[in-house]
């Protein structure tokens, strides 16, 4: 199938078109170009709707269609769900402030919200009709990641006369496991069969100005992985692909250490790669690699970060409870940095909060007591924000906090500002607005999990470590490996151990 046949199918009059789009094959170009053409036929007040699953994807679409503002709406599918829920909150038995409700409910809130909204749309076709009238053309990005409820929501819009264009790649389904994953795989297969038209992109555009042979190799390995095979590293490697053999000698999970001889070529790659993503499978290894390079390469925290949301939810629930607020703050600090364990910080803070800071002390206990006093004085998000700001001051000024460090710097910086307004609902709204603007930019060099790199592109990437512990032979890891292989357009390095290489590689 050609780029031309895909473009023709998208612009046809049929209701539902499905495009299977491997990474780097021009999906965003096709979708953005179609959206641009589709806006010319819109009526008054109508907009083309682009639904993505990540803020990074929204960011890319926004950059490609900046001149169409007013005729185009770009957002995550969660944002569409929240918008409908806000308008019909009474019918859904929900408060008007959906964002605050979702913070209080925690990470499962949007799944609950999607279920409620899909039931509303199924039972009340007029609601789906109103959305379809406003958005007569809907473009769904990365639809292989859609839950069954999210998929039903989009299907109700198609049934209400909206033209829907589904883009997806089952080989990039990396967010679910078990039954939920099997359900999504079946959902994609059924969608491909029942759609009015099915097309597939197959040209490696991402690598055209970098290493075309690397792009062709990546698409070839995608097929190997899709059909149960392995990534073939036995023969002549394409231009831009480097294979480094190095064994991680760190004694604990997540740590990373190499011998000086094995480290030298890796450091040389980093020095010679001004635009670089260092990719790894696990969060703990991200922190280990950050320490391995002496924190010189920052961590990419992603467009969606949960630690601060969890803290704010705790501040709402535990307002007036200094001990509960202090424990929640300790959980936050442990999630975003080092040096805030129970023995080094948390236990003493809890003790001071429980005893109302009545006992005089010196040294580090006195400094922790100064943090606790702020929470006791104002047992709300205000006191917690001031306490976190005090921790920041101690990290810069006190020898007792010299070993403490912050790995997730943006999350920490945002937490230091939560006491800026007395109303926590205003703080939540401000945080939502700031993150919704998608102003974060990936550093020129950064360390990331493969999950958070999805949707990103770079000149160079290093996948490390390619061992059996990180990439065990299952279908999810096949997809995870493919996503990692397809991020860079010029140079890709695979750090594979001699001792326990991943079975997904043929060496």
């Amino acid at each position: 199938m050609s780029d031309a046949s895909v473009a023709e199918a998208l612009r046809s009059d049929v209701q539902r078109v499905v495009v299977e789009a491997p990474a780097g094959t021009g999906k965003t170009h096709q979708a953005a170009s179609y959206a641009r053409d589709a806006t010319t036929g819109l009526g008054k007040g109508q907009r083309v709707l682009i639904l993505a699953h990540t803020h990074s994807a929204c960011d890319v679409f926004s950059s490609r269609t900046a001149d169409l503002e007013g005729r185009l709406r770009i957002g995550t599918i969660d944002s569409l769900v929240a918008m409908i829920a806000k308008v019909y909150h009474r019918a859904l038995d929900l408060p008007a402030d959906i964002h605050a409700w979702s913070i209080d409910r925690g990470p499962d809130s949007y799944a609950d919200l999607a279920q409620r909204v899909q039931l509303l749309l199924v039972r009340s076709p007029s609601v789906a009709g109103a959305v379809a009238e406003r958005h007569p053309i809907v473009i769904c990005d990365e639809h292989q990641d859609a839950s069954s409820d999210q998929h039903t929501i989009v299907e109700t819009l198609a049934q209400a006369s909206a033209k829907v264009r589904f883009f997806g790649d089952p080989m990039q389904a990396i967010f679910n496991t078990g039954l939920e994953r099997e359900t999504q795989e079946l959902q994609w297969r059924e969608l491909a069969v029942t759609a009015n038209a099915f097309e597939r992109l197959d040209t490696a555009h991402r690598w055209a100005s970098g290493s075309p042979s690397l792009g062709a190799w990546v698409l070839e390995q995608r097929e190997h992985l899709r059909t149960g095979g392995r990534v073939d590293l036995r023969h002549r490697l394409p231009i831009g692909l480097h294979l480094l053999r190095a064994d991680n000698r760190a004694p604990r999970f997540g740590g990373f250490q190499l011998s000086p001889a094995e480290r030298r070529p890796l450091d040389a790659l980093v020095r010679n790669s001004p635009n670089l993503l260092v990719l790894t499978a696990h969060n703990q290894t991200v922190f280990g690699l950050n320490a391995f390079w002496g924190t010189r390469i920052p961590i990419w925290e992603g467009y969606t970060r949960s630690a601060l949301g969890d803290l704010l939810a705790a501040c709402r629930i535990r307002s007036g409870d200094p001990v509960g607020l202090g424990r929640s703050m300790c959980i936050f600090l442990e999630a975003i940095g080092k040096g805030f364990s129970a023995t080094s910080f948390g236990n003493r803070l809890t003790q001071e909060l429980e005893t109302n800071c009545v006992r005089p002390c010196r040294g580090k206990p006195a400094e922790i007591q100064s943090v606790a006093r702020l929470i006791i004085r104002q047992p709300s998000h205000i006191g917690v924000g001031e306490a976190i700001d005090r921790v920041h001051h101690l990290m810069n000024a006190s020898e007792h906090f010299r070993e403490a460090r912050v790995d997730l710097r943006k999350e920490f910086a945002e937490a230091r500002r939560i006491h800026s307004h007395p109303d926590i609902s205003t703080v939540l709204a401000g945080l939502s607005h700031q993150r919704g603007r998608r102003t974060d930019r990936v550093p020129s060099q950064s360390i990331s999990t493969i999950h958070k790199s999805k949707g990103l592109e770079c000149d160079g990437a290093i996948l490390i470590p390619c061992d059996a512990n990180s990439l065990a032979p299952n279908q999810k890891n096949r997809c995870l490996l493919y996503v990692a292989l397809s991020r860079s357009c010029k140079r890709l390095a695979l750090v594979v151990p001699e001792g326990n290489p991943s079975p997904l590689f043929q060496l």
Side-chain angles (χ1 to χ4, degrees), residues 9-87:
L10 292 173
R11 289 160 177 79
S12 68
D13 291 329
V14 300
Q15 207 76 34
R16 295 152 74 245
V17 176
V18 174
V19 179
E20 187 167 298
T25 57
K27 172 201 67 179
T28 305
H29 170 77
Q30 288 276 1
S33 176
Y34 169 62
R36 183 177 298 280
D37 290 348
T39 59
T40 61
L42 294 176
K44 184 177 180 181
Q46 292 182 323
R47 293 183 178 185
V48 172
L49 177 62
I50 297 180
L51 297 176
H53 283 269
T54 65
H55 289 298
S56 59
C58 292
D59 194 33
V60 173
F61 277 115
S62 295
S63 68
R64 302 282 184 94
T65 58
D67 59 315
L68 298 178
E69 188 175 355
R71 290 177 290 163
L72 189 67
R73 180 172 183 239
I74 301 171
T76 64
I77 194 163
D78 282 341
S79 71
L80 173 67
V81 169
M83 179 194 74
I84 296 172
K86 183 175 182 178
V87 174

Side-chain angles (χ1 to χ4, degrees), residues 43-209:
K44 184 177 180 181
Q46 292 182 323
R47 293 183 178 185
V48 172
L49 177 62
I50 297 180
L51 297 176
H53 283 269
T54 65
H55 289 298
S56 59
C58 292
D59 194 33
V60 173
F61 277 115
S62 295
S63 68
R64 302 282 184 94
T65 58
D67 59 315
L68 298 178
E69 188 175 355
R71 290 177 290 163
L72 189 67
R73 180 172 183 239
I74 301 171
T76 64
I77 194 163
D78 282 341
S79 71
L80 173 67
V81 169
M83 179 194 74
I84 296 172
K86 183 175 182 178
V87 174
Y88 297 96
H89 68 92
R90 289 189 179 88
L92 296 172
D93 193 26
L94 291 169
D97 192 342
I98 296 297
H99 181 68
W101 175 87
S102 69
I103 289 286
D104 290 345
R105 290 293 299 270
D108 296 329
S109 61
Y110 275 96
D112 181 6
L113 205 59
Q115 184 180 46
R116 296 184 189 216
V117 168
Q118 73 91 359
L119 288 172
L120 172 70
L121 296 181
V122 169
R123 294 170 180 172
S124 304
S126 61
V127 177
V131 178
E133 173 65 24
R134 173 70 166 167
H135 302 291
I137 294 172
V138 181
I139 300 170
C140 297
D141 183 45
E142 303 286 358
H143 197 69
Q144 78 281 345
D145 292 327
S147 69
S148 58
D149 289 324
Q150 291 171 336
H151 178 66
T152 300
I153 288 168
V154 176
E155 287 284 36
T156 62
L157 301 184
Q159 293 165 11
S161 79
K163 287 184 179 179
V164 183
R165 299 325 190 220
F166 300 93
F167 289 84
D169 178 9
M171 283 303 295
Q172 295 187 69
I174 61 174
F175 294 111
N176 293 305
T177 58
L179 181 60
E180 190 171 1
R181 179 181 182 83
E182 293 175 7
T183 301
Q184 285 182 321
E185 290 173 347
L186 177 61
Q187 179 177 280
W188 178 261
R189 290 196 297 269
E190 290 180 345
L191 178 62
V193 170
T194 60
N196 303 109
F198 176 81
E199 294 285 333
R200 181 181 291 110
L201 292 166
D202 56 11
T203 303
H205 292 289
R206 176 174 294 170
W207 297 267
S209 60

Side-chain angles (χ1 to χ4, degrees), residues 401-463:
F401 283 78
R402 190 172 298 159
E403 299 302 317
R405 75 168 192 266
V406 171
D407 295 316
L408 305 184
R409 300 170 190 171
K410 289 183 181 295
E411 198 85 329
F412 186 64
E414 289 174 353
R416 290 173 53 210
R417 296 193 293 269
I418 64 173
H419 63 285
S420 60
H421 197 281
D423 180 9
I424 192 169
S425 296
T426 302
V427 176
L428 287 167
L431 178 65
S432 177
H433 176 70
Q434 178 181 336
R435 292 185 173 181
R437 288 185 299 157
R438 303 179 296 274
T439 56
D440 292 351
R441 290 291 179 266
V442 184
S444 58
Q445 288 189 328
S446 60
I447 304 168
S448 173
T449 60
I450 300 170
H451 289 86
K452 288 186 176 179
S453 76
K454 190 165 179 283
L456 301 180
E457 300 177 20
C458 56
D459 289 344
I462 299 172
L463 178 58

